[in-house]
Amino acid sequence: MKTFNIDSPMHHKTKVFPSPFHSRQAEWNENKEWSRWYDYLSVPSYTDETMEYFAGRNTCGVFDITPMTKHLITGPDALPFMNRLVTRDVSKLKPGRVGYSVWCDDRGQVIDDGTIFHLQQGQYRLCSQEHQIDWLMINAHGFDVSIVEDTHDVAGLALQGPTSCAVLRKMNLPGIENLTPFGMASFDFEGTQLMISRTGFTGDLGYELWIDPDHAEVLWDRLFAAGELHGIRPMGSDALEMLRIEAGFIMAGADFAPALHTVRSKNTRSPFELGLDWLVDFKKPVFNGRQALLKEQQQGSRYALVKLDIEDNKAAEHSYVYDTRERNIGWVTSAMWSPSAKKNIALATVKRPHGKVDERMLVEIYYQRELAWSRKMAQAVVVEQPFWDPPRRRQTPPADW
Amino acid sequence: MTKAVKSALIIGGGHNGLACAAYLARAGVQVTVLEAAERFGGAAVTREFAPGFQISAGAHLLFALDEKIRSELQLEQHGLEMAATALETIGLDEDGDYVSIAGGTLSGPGALDEDKTAMTRYQRQMNRFADVIWGLKDQLPPRMGTTAKDDLLSLGKLGLKIRRLGTEDMREFLRITGINVYDILQERFTSEHLKGALSVDGTLGTFLGTRSNNSVFCALHRFNRGRDYALPKGGMGAVSEALAAAAKAAGATLRTNATVASITMDFDRASGVTLSDGETLEADVVISNADPKTTFFKLLGARHLEAGFANRVHHLRTRGCVAKLHLALDGLPGFTGLDETQLGKRLLIAADMQYVEHAFNHAKYGEYAQEPVLEITVPSVHDATLAPAGQHVLSANVAWAPYDLKGGWTEVARADFLERCLSVLERYAPGLRGQILHSELLTPVDMEQEFGMTGGHWHHVELALDAFLMMRPTPGAAQYATPVNGLYLCGAGSHPGGNVTGCVGRNAAKAVLKGQG
């Protein structure tokens, strides 16, 4: 249910908002630990992050994505607006489809990344990691569009893992198995509309469920009832972090500094520097950052974001990266021991021309054993493919577990 | 590589558009100037406002026309003639104790001895400082953050000019350029009346009062290195006509009654324009004499710009705040204390700095001044072509009258403001009311309509340190080339700003030929 009324003059007393799923999250939250995700309370881990992670890979896990910033963009100029905003060509995104993109400032530096839902002709939902409403309003000048941040009006759950489709089928959502990756569909549900997209942040089979906050709890209950025999369990943000690193997904604030929150210009990154060349479509005559990115394409980028396969099993968090002659060339931005790939993996930023596939590097890892610190210069190699990319992620219809 | 520019379209035949056309045509570019009005000149124009009475409808004094342009384009051969030059500024006084300022020389019954010495020093110093500011007027402003030779050279020149002032003057330059005229005039002069008159130079035409920072900068911008005010024969339109003649002689095509409705884009390049009657024209480059907001939002459309740049243009300060008063008079007006020969000078009504500040205060709150500041000329004293024999025209800039007047410029508001102007005038020129045959009041809203300038702003974009040189109108378009390939600016919104100088047009032509951007 909706846990606060933002229009009430006393709403400041609410401080950090409980999510519309809060009553259910609180029941499951054995650790009684809460973290803050922008305006909302979020759960780092309900019981044990590794168990929750394995639910995401072996059965299915449920993660509350209500706090994600959401915007509704409507009006006759919604498409030209979106196309000027983001780097990729939104005109190719048909109604009922979802697309991932980044958006840049005029210097071609990434402000944020997120997903664009083409809800219907002339209507888009933009989901982002960071708050974007001011940037969107700046972008709206000269366009006939209406832009509303509706973060608080939409409750969301990510249902991720191999049994996720089976759970949804059990909820009697006709045709759910025919939904292709990045597709979406709406269903009548308990007197309201339940929107489901085949999207997620885990690199696996998975869905995101969107509903009005007053139906949040009934959705949770129905979902967990349907999933009881399919290993469903709630997931916290720690487990999600592991899942997304394995999938090779970058995160604002972790793998790059969002341009609008960055004071020192050398610390921002272009899409090319984040390995997102495929998102930049120069066939569009104008989009934010186009001129700067054209120039960068000709003159070269400063950095490369690489996936590293590192020897041994000590996570390379916060490590420096060196070339084979031990010259510092960058640093690790995200790292973990990957239980599914059985590899010690990391995402790292290195200075060009470093960063080519198969390039050998060294990673300086500090680790503790019974409080005693050790240091290791671990061998690492740049790999091209994500560490976790199972065929079931794309298979339609998905297997019925 | 940029290929040589062979053809150009210029949107707007203001004086800068014409100057730009002349220079490009002389360089062999096929130029077409498209002017929406029925005559060239933009706000440097002469027109009839009452049967038999001609007036400079926008700018009414010539004081900043670039000497280089004058000689290079041979404007005298193309018909430019002065009706009067070296006009003193007279700070009027109700009791006739006026002060007269001619360069560094102060005279008149209101002039104090200590102010006479101070005036000489003030003139010398302001001239030196204005030299620094105007020193880069005919150069492309440097781009920031580049290591290109031209940019560094241009920046170096500015630094050198400041350094060359010598320790004492350099300190003073750096101290006062950002501050307000109230403080520096208070430090230098005794007569409240003189300070009032001098403070007008720092505030007229801008949204600044005497105590607003930046007003010293504006005074310096107006300080034209000792050259005084002049009146062209036939009004300010004569300057534009001479420029048009020069452009035509150089081979430019000039069209009036040609309103550009939009700039045409070919993928990511400006390729031409569409006129309001549907006619389309193409060229290698499009150069806009219109103000930045009109150019980028009305003619091009924000959607063709990246958002950061569009946002900067959106926030440019373009609120005009000076009205124009035109009077047709049955005979010479009688300003208390002035003889007939003095009537043709630049006359100021600005009793003291407090008076000026009060006049401005109203504008801050969306009101017009209850007791306005006036800058008056009676050009028909020098130029018989402007009015029937024995009759005269009076032209006055009236401050402050904000564009976005609270409640709007209704008939009632206009009538009331006109009445306030006349009652102030009547105090200085008793009997003036009885001589009025016709009157015309142009508010900033009228000027926006007549001259196509956003906000009716003289300078297109507020004149200030934060909108000067490489900051004018805004980074990304400060070298006349805009972020849109093939689209250039040549209006007062660009360096070095407004007033009838011709510099913007000349610099823009240079930028186009250089193919920068």
Side-chain angles (χ1 to χ4, degrees):
Chain A
M1 58 168 207
K2 214 161 176 176
T3 54
F4 59 91
N5 176 11
I6 204 156
D7 298 323
S8 151
M10 300 308 285
H11 102 91
H12 63 280
K13 297 209 160 181
T14 322
K15 314 254 189 239
V16 184
F17 307 148
S19 146
F21 301 106
H22 185 81
S23 60
R24 304 304 188 263
Q25 290 175 306
E27 259 173 54
W28 282 88
N29 190 354
E30 286 178 27
N31 293 336
K32 301 287 180 253
E33 272 180 42
W34 300 88
S35 58
R36 183 174 178 170
W37 178 359
Y38 275 131
D39 298 332
Y40 285 91
L41 280 175
S42 181
V43 184
S45 126
Y46 289 85
T47 52
D48 177 89
E49 65 181 67
T50 313
M51 296 289 284
E52 290 159 30
Y53 157 84
F54 276 114
R57 286 287 179 246
N58 295 342
T59 55
C60 68
V62 176
F63 180 70
D64 176 15
I65 51 173
T66 308
M68 189 158 56
T69 316
K70 311 173 206 90
H71 314 87
L72 196 61
I73 294 140
T74 50
D77 284 343
L79 174 60
F81 168 86
M82 292 301 293
N83 245 343
R84 204 265 300 249
L85 177 73
V86 305
T87 54
R88 71 184 282 180
D89 188 354
V90 183
S91 68
K92 290 178 181 159
L93 193 69
K94 303 230 155 45
R97 301 292 300 170
V98 186
Y100 170 73
S101 192
V102 289
W103 46 101
C104 297
D105 62 11
D106 285 17
R107 296 182 307 118
Q109 302 301 296
V110 177
I111 289 172
D112 203 355
D113 65 343
T115 41
I116 303 161
F117 292 71
H118 194 169
L119 301 173
Q120 59 191 53
Q121 206 70 50
Q123 191 177 66
Y124 295 89
R125 164 157 291 135
L126 179 69
C127 293
S128 59
Q129 171 67 22
E130 303 285 317
H131 282 177
Q132 294 296 331
I133 189 70
D134 51 348
W135 179 243
L136 297 183
M137 296 313 280
I138 283 171
N139 271 266
H141 176 67
F143 291 88
D144 186 2
V145 285
S146 132
I147 297 162
V148 185
E149 190 196 315
D150 60 350
T151 304
H152 307 311
D153 302 325
V154 184
L157 287 178
L159 174 69
Q160 303 281 309
T163 65
S164 53
C165 184
V167 174
L168 294 177
R169 284 169 76 161
K170 218 170 215 175
M171 282 173 71
N172 293 323
L173 302 168
I176 187 70
E177 63 277 9
N178 298 325
L179 207 56
T180 55
F182 291 102
M184 59 175 147
S186 266
F187 303 91
D188 292 327
F189 179 83
E190 301 282 349
T192 189
Q193 285 290 301
L194 169 64
M195 205 267 274
I196 299 183
S197 53
R198 188 165 164 188
T199 48
F201 204 44
T202 64
D204 212 314
L205 174 66
Y207 300 83
E208 288 172 330
L209 287 64
W210 313 87
I211 202 159
D212 68 84
D214 290 333
H215 287 79
E217 285 153 320
V218 62
L219 173 65
W220 180 291
D221 295 342
R222 290 272 308 274
L223 198 58
F224 277 77
E228 200 179 350
L229 298 178
H230 297 271
I232 198 169
R233 68 183 302 154
M235 252 178 354
S237 51
D238 293 347
L240 188 78
E241 173 73 0
M242 297 168 71
L243 294 163
R244 72 102 190 158
I245 296 172
E246 268 185 353
F249 294 156
I250 57 168
M251 189 147 101
D255 301 295
F256 68 95
L260 297 184
H261 298 185
T262 308
V263 178
R264 298 160 191 84
S265 59
K266 66 175 191 247
N267 290 340
T268 58
R269 296 291 177 267
S270 77
F272 300 137
E273 292 168 343
L274 297 175
L276 300 173
D277 312 36
W278 62 280
L279 285 177
V280 181
D281 193 341
F282 287 124
K283 291 199 283 294
K284 293 196 294 180
V286 66
F287 60 84
N288 296 334
R290 183 178 188 270
Q291 299 214 359
L293 292 172
L294 268 174
K295 207 165 153 192
E296 184 180 331
Q297 199 187 39
Q298 288 158 13
Q299 298 180 351
S301 305
R302 303 164 299 168
Y303 297 96
L305 188 134
V306 294
K307 300 181 193 76
L308 291 181
D309 181 354
I310 307 167
E311 68 170 336
D312 216 338
N313 60 2
K314 302 289 181 288
E317 280 173 323
H318 314 299
S319 296
Y320 270 132
V321 179
Y322 301 86
D323 65 9
T324 46
R325 292 164 63 189
E326 298 205 14
R327 282 178 306 201
N328 189 325
I329 56 166
W331 56 89
V332 166
T333 55
S334 297
M336 67 181 285
W337 164 257
S338 162
S340 297
K342 304 276 183 279
K343 276 178 183 161
N344 193 19
I345 64 173
L347 301 176
T349 289
V350 295
K351 291 185 191 107
R352 305 247 178 153
H354 295 287
K356 296 188 180 72
V357 173
D358 293 333
E359 184 178 341
R360 304 209 151 264
M361 295 176 183
L362 293 169
V363 177
E364 183 179 13
I365 301 171
Y366 284 80
Y367 61 96
Q368 248 184 334
R369 224 181 245 147
E370 293 172 335
L371 299 183
W373 281 103
S374 300
R375 169 181 174 268
K376 181 183 169 78
M377 286 295 260
Q379 300 279 342
V381 64
V382 176
V383 299
E384 189 169 21
Q385 297 304 318
F387 305 101
W388 183 255
D389 187 21
R392 66 179 181 229
R393 179 182 170 193
R394 278 170 286 270
Q395 189 188 329
T396 309
D400 192 12
W401 298 84
Chain B
M1 284 303 290
T2 356
K3 58 175 197 255
V5 173
K6 291 209 182 75
S7 59
L9 293 169
I10 298 183
I11 303 172
H15 85 276
N16 275 314
L18 296 169
C20 186
Y23 279 101
L24 286 178
R26 281 155 59 109
V29 179
Q30 202 190 332
V31 191
T32 307
V33 179
L34 302 161
E35 169 57 44
E38 57 190 28
R39 60 173 77 75
F40 292 105
V45 74
T46 309
R47 65 160 166 77
E48 197 175 61
F49 76 102
F53 293 90
Q54 302 282 333
I55 201 89
S56 299
H60 67 179
L61 281 163
L62 188 67
F63 58 95
L65 182 63
D66 193 68
E67 283 306 326
K68 232 183 266 177
I69 293 171
R70 212 173 178 145
S71 58
E72 282 171 359
L73 296 184
Q74 301 169 312
L75 295 186
E76 269 71 23
Q77 278 93 313
H78 288 294
L80 183 62
E81 208 180 313
M82 290 301 134
T85 55
L87 296 172
E88 294 99 319
T89 291
I90 296 180
L92 295 172
D93 181 69
E94 282 184 51
D95 302 325
D97 286 338
Y98 67 87
V99 289
S100 176
I101 307 159
T105 313
L106 193 63
S107 60
L112 305 176
D113 283 341
E114 59 262 45
D115 283 342
K116 287 181 183 170
T117 337
M119 191 67 211
T120 315
R121 272 206 309 272
Y122 180 68
Q123 181 75 14
R124 185 200 70 89
Q125 202 168 45
M126 291 296 271
N127 270 338
R128 297 197 77 198
F129 295 173
D131 250 357
V132 174
I133 287 185
W134 278 107
L136 289 164
K137 73 174 172 3
D138 46 15
Q139 278 184 31
L140 303 192
R143 286 171 298 179
M144 285 179 290
T146 74
T147 48
K149 212 176 74 193
D150 289 359
D151 298 326
L152 294 179
L153 203 68
S154 178
L155 266 177
K157 264 191 188 165
L158 178 64
L160 202 64
K161 271 198 170 289
I162 297 176
R163 188 64 195 91
R164 280 221 182 115
L165 290 172
T167 310
E168 220 160 283
D169 269 3
M170 179 175 70
R171 278 186 193 153
E172 186 63 0
F173 176 79
L174 295 175
R175 182 180 77 90
I176 70 171
T177 310
I179 66 172
N180 61 80
V181 284
Y182 185 92
D183 286 351
I184 71 152
L185 293 175
Q186 204 71 297
E187 287 166 4
R188 286 163 168 78
F189 297 103
T190 307
S191 157
E192 295 303 327
H193 186 45
L194 173 66
K195 287 184 269 187
L198 290 173
S199 73
V200 173
D201 285 347
T203 52
L204 192 67
T206 64
F207 212 88
L208 300 175
T210 56
R211 287 189 179 86
S212 312
N213 289 340
N214 255 322
S215 47
V216 171
F217 169 76
C218 292
L220 287 171
H221 189 270
R222 198 175 244 273
F223 230 87
N224 48 326
R225 299 192 285 173
R227 287 208 327 275
D228 286 293
Y229 293 92
L231 288 167
K233 189 164 188 204
M236 291 299 280
V239 181
S240 305
E241 277 162 29
L243 282 164
K248 211 180 242 173
T253 308
L254 306 182
R255 291 176 58 181
T256 51
N257 296 310
T259 308
V260 173
S262 62
I263 295 166
T264 322
M265 292 293 290
D266 177 13
F267 192 59
D268 63 351
R269 186 173 182 86
S271 61
V273 300
T274 304
L275 303 187
S276 56
D277 63 6
E279 184 185 343
T280 57
L281 292 102
E282 284 189 3
D284 293 342
V285 294
V286 177
I287 307 163
S288 178
N289 189 188
D291 67 89
K293 280 188 185 172
T294 301
T295 304
F296 290 119
F297 297 149
K298 284 199 193 131
L299 301 179
L300 180 71
R303 65 188 55 199
H304 296 293
L305 300 164
E306 297 187 16
F309 179 81
N311 189 41
R312 291 204 298 278
V313 174
H314 188 51
H315 287 294
L316 292 176
R317 305 194 296 282
T318 54
R319 183 160 51 153
C321 53
V322 184
K324 193 75 196 300
L325 177 66
H326 302 149
L327 298 178
L329 300 174
D330 192 12
L332 264 180
F335 282 92
T336 310
L338 301 195
D339 61 32
E340 267 190 36
T341 59
Q342 287 171 310
L343 289 177
K345 314 293 185 190
R346 174 180 180 243
L347 311 178
L348 294 179
I349 293 180
D352 53 46
M353 291 202 283
Q354 207 62 10
Y355 178 94
V356 178
E357 185 73 9
H358 281 160
F360 166 67
N361 276 347
H362 290 283
K364 285 194 286 194
Y365 304 105
E367 301 156 7
Y368 46 75
Q370 301 295 296
E371 302 256 297
V373 167
L374 286 99
E375 181 199 58
I376 304 159
T377 62
V378 188
S380 48
V381 168
H382 306 287
D383 187 349
T385 62
L386 301 176
Q391 298 182 321
H392 285 277
V393 288
L394 180 150
S395 164
N397 282 316
V398 193
W400 276 250
Y403 172 79
D404 52 349
L405 186 72
K406 215 187 287 170
W409 282 102
T410 59
E411 284 309 315
V412 177
R414 285 162 179 282
D416 184 54
F417 188 55
L418 177 62
E419 178 52 35
R420 287 182 187 282
C421 296
L422 295 181
S423 67
V424 168
L425 273 170
E426 181 75 21
R427 290 212 308 261
Y428 288 82
L432 182 85
R433 263 177 205 278
Q435 296 175 300
I436 300 172
L437 300 171
H438 304 279
S439 70
E440 180 184 55
L441 179 73
L442 296 180
T443 68
V445 173
D446 300 322
M447 288 196 249
E448 180 179 62
Q449 292 222 313
E450 182 168 348
F451 307 127
M453 314 185 289
T454 299
H457 200 301
W458 285 4
H459 294 285
H460 288 192
V461 172
E462 187 78 356
L463 195 62
L465 272 174
D466 64 274
F468 191 62
L469 210 60
M470 59 279 217
M471 297 295 285
R472 187 167 185 88
T474 187
Q479 287 75 29
Y480 310 96
T482 71
V484 176
N485 299 326
L487 178 63
Y488 291 78
L489 297 177
C490 75
S494 295
H495 172 76
N499 299 334
V500 178
T501 66
C503 292
V504 192
R506 185 172 183 270
N507 292 353
K510 224 195 269 184
V512 170
L513 294 172
K514 200 176 155 195
Q516 197 177 54

